[in-house]
Amino acid sequence: MTDVSTFQPALTDERPMDRDREGTTMSLHEALARSRQQEAEAAARRHRLARRVSAGRRWALLARYAQGRAERARRRADTI
């Protein structure tokens, strides 16, 4: 006669395939989230660079306008 009550499966061996699959799934989700985060950071860097370049152009444009306006004012002052 065999004693059936002595066999107790270990709790960690209950569903090893499902546990591994869940770990893989979580890793895929983490990798996807990391990838999206990196894409968002790259887009933010491009946007920040575009804003800096645009702001620099605006300041250069305003400086040229102010310089031209000052030059015209000097010419008018010389003719008067």
Side-chain angles (χ1 to χ4, degrees), residues 24-41:
T24 302
T25 303
M26 184 54 88
S27 296
L28 290 175
H29 285 298
E30 289 171 354
L32 181 59
R34 191 177 313 113
S35 174
R36 287 183 178 164
Q37 179 70 27
Q38 290 170 350
E39 289 173 0
E41 289 171 354

Side-chain angles (χ1 to χ4, degrees), residues 65-76:
Y65 173 74
Q67 188 176 16
R69 188 172 172 176
E71 184 62 35
R72 286 190 296 277
R74 274 190 291 256
R75 282 191 222 140
R76 277 190 301 240

Side-chain angles (χ1 to χ4, degrees), residues 2-3 7-8 13 16 21 24-25 32 35-37 49-50 57-58 64 66 69-70 72-73 75 80:
T2 51
D3 188 8
F7 177 73
Q8 294 180 351
D13 295 333
R21 193 174 330 131
T24 302
T25 303
L32 181 59
S35 174
R36 287 183 178 164
Q37 179 70 27
L49 177 62
R57 287 182 184 158
R58 272 186 261 142
R64 282 195 305 267
R69 188 172 172 176
R72 286 190 296 277
R75 282 191 222 140
I80 295 178

Side-chain angles (χ1 to χ4, degrees), residues 11 14 21 23-24 37 47-48 60-61 77 79:
L11 294 177
E14 210 165 288
R21 193 174 330 131
T24 302
Q37 179 70 27
H47 183 70
R48 192 169 39 248
L61 178 67
T79 60

